[in-house]
Amino acid sequence: RLLMIRHYNLFSLRGAGHCGRVFRKVFCATPEGQAPPRHPRWMGVEPQNTPQPSSASTGLLEAAYQRITAAWVSSAQQLGCMDVHVLGEGDVDTEVLDPAHAVLKLNSGHTIPVVGLGVYLCEPGAQAYEAVLSALRLGYRHIDTAQVYGNESDVGRAVRDSGIPRKDIFVTSKLSIRNWGKSRAQAAIDESLKKLGLDYIDLFLLHAPGSLDTRAETWAVLESYHRQGKLRSIGVSNFGVVHLEKLAQTAQVTPAVNQIELHPFLQWPRLVQYCQSKDIIVEAYSPLAKGQKLDDPTVKQLAQKLNVTPAQLLIRWGIQKGFVSLPKSTVPARQEVNLNVFSITIPDDDMATLDGLEADFVTGWDPIRDAPV
């Protein structure tokens, strides 16, 4: 087997003050014949034809593992770090450096990567295809599309061309409100599966509360496809508390997620609390407020203090809140920056400062308030 050691670099800590924060070390052994988890900085580094280790080499690796663990624990103690966490087999941690391993568990039993690429307003065709392919090569494992975006086919083609096993990529799409009602919803879901070229979709959402007259029967269609395994998880988008309560009166399956516009300037505290109380994961679209708050003085000041970009600060805020974040970019360099948030920790006092930026700042449509109950 190949021993993989991932760690924070002692010499890259941003000032002595950071030595007192939680200092995580991750040690994991990758089974023989399997590629190690990919990180953007590891692109192009793939083990080939990993040999079967001898018992002697296995023993040496185990001894090395113990020595390295002891050395890092000793170093961390000398630096005055509060905690050293060595992950064991089967552990899941949302603060590892490898973005493919940063996941949350859905109420459906499946897991969802905490950072995904949103493809809203990605032009169908070359732009959407190249954006998704670039993101997957950089380490993204979660792509969020929708029927109304018109780029499901491009997303599916990029997923296939990436060479990454299908099971390792989480794909979300959404049912357009134009396709509500039993027969229309069935045809539209089948069409999404066909356009994506997939046997199943990992997460499928009602894109908005839509019409009360057909909401219950449309959700029942999603439940049916969920039971068939064609939709691994199902959820909603842009639903307020009253919409969720109304849906619960007839639903047999609780939504796995509620995807809403969410960032420090629009926090929906009552809605978030309700979703969390019902085991509904909250997904944040437009986590960068469509770029309109990247120059906010408080955001810029905190980003400079933590030596991160304003975008990384806003994405990391959502992750530490327990949200799934869906930043959108077609530029590979920005995609990589947006994904590299797993070695960042925002201190509690700075999180409180960001929490104080609430301004009910809606950048797009507002069906949470406007859609009929």
Side-chain angles (χ1 to χ4, degrees):
R1 58 186 177 171
L2 174 69
L3 183 67
M4 295 296 303
I5 304 168
R6 300 185 304 229
H7 59 83
Y8 294 117
N9 189 324
L10 285 172
F11 302 101
S12 68
L13 293 176
R14 305 181 188 96
H18 285 264
C19 292
R21 73 188 217 187
V22 175
F23 196 65
R24 292 185 183 270
K25 294 288 168 281
V26 182
F27 302 87
C28 70
T30 302
E32 184 270 333
Q34 291 187 14
R38 293 172 64 83
H39 184 272
R41 288 191 291 271
W42 300 346
M43 290 305 300
V45 181
E46 294 282 3
Q48 301 293 331
N49 302 319
T50 307
Q52 179 66 33
S54 67
S55 58
S57 62
T58 299
L60 288 173
L61 284 172
E62 293 293 348
Y65 174 90
Q66 297 299 329
R67 289 198 301 271
I68 293 167
T69 300
W72 275 115
V73 170
S74 176
S75 296
Q77 290 173 342
Q78 291 177 32
L79 284 168
C81 298
M82 294 182 292
D83 176 48
V84 175
H85 181 49
V86 180
L87 292 185
E89 183 178 357
D91 287 347
V92 177
D93 192 329
T94 59
E95 299 199 17
V96 298
L97 291 182
D98 177 16
H101 285 180
V103 300
L104 294 174
K105 190 168 184 178
L106 300 171
N107 61 26
S108 63
H110 297 285
T111 58
I112 181 171
V114 299
V115 174
L117 178 75
V119 294
Y120 172 60
L121 295 184
C122 281
E123 288 291 333
Q127 186 184 66
Y129 171 79
E130 294 295 341
V132 174
L133 191 61
S134 167
L136 292 172
R137 287 173 173 170
L138 287 168
Y140 284 79
R141 292 297 180 266
H142 179 179
I143 308 297
D144 183 272
T145 183
Q147 292 175 350
V148 296
Y149 300 170
N151 52 28
E152 287 177 310
S153 297
D154 308 304
V155 169
R157 185 161 64 94
V159 167
R160 292 189 298 276
D161 291 351
S162 70
I164 299 167
R166 169 67 185 96
K167 65 181 180 61
D168 294 337
I169 302 176
F170 191 98
V171 177
T172 297
S173 193
K174 311 175 193 73
L175 184 71
S176 167
I177 57 177
R178 296 192 298 266
N179 296 323
W180 281 36
K182 183 176 181 179
S183 59
R184 286 187 178 184
Q186 290 172 335
I189 295 171
D190 290 338
E191 184 67 13
S192 284
L193 286 162
K194 181 179 178 180
K195 286 182 176 179
L196 288 163
L198 303 177
D199 295 327
Y200 65 89
I201 299 173
D202 296 275
L203 177 63
F204 198 78
L205 311 178
L206 297 181
H207 206 149
S211 170
L212 177 60
D213 295 337
T214 54
R215 188 183 302 153
E217 70 174 279
T218 303
W219 181 253
V221 173
L222 268 65
E223 291 177 326
S224 174
Y225 276 73
H226 174 59
R227 287 191 293 270
Q228 297 173 44
K230 293 182 178 181
L231 305 177
R232 291 282 180 89
S233 302
I234 56 176
V236 298
S237 181
N238 298 298
F239 271 51
V241 172
V242 289
H243 302 118
L244 290 167
E245 290 177 335
K246 188 72 173 180
L247 185 65
Q249 294 175 9
T250 56
Q252 296 180 7
V253 178
T254 300
V257 308
N258 186 17
Q259 187 181 123
I260 59 177
E261 180 179 353
L262 191 62
H263 42 74
F265 302 89
L266 181 65
Q267 298 180 37
W268 299 108
R270 179 170 174 263
L271 176 56
V272 168
Q273 183 179 21
Y274 177 86
C275 288
Q276 292 174 340
S277 73
K278 301 297 182 181
D279 197 21
I280 300 172
I281 293 293
V282 177
E283 286 191 289
Y285 72 76
S286 297
L288 308 182
K290 292 188 172 69
Q292 297 178 40
K293 292 295 186 178
L294 296 180
D295 288 327
D296 177 84
T298 301
V299 171
K300 290 177 68 175
Q301 179 184 10
L302 289 179
Q304 184 176 13
K305 172 186 174 182
L306 298 175
N307 195 24
V308 300
T309 69
Q312 286 176 318
L313 182 76
L314 297 180
I315 294 168
R316 184 65 198 186
W317 173 85
I319 291 174
Q320 289 187 207
K321 286 285 188 179
F323 309 144
V324 172
S325 188
L326 301 169
K328 179 255 180 180
S329 179
T330 60
V331 180
R334 290 180 182 172
Q335 290 177 345
E336 183 170 12
V337 168
N338 291 345
L339 187 63
N340 289 342
V341 293
F342 297 99
S343 61
I344 300 167
T345 299
I346 304 175
D348 290 345
D349 57 340
D350 293 333
M351 285 292 290
T353 299
L354 290 170
D355 290 346
L357 295 177
E358 169 62 48
D360 196 24
F361 184 73
V362 179
T363 66
W365 66 337
D366 191 9
I368 290 176
R369 293 191 181 93
D370 297 341
V373 177

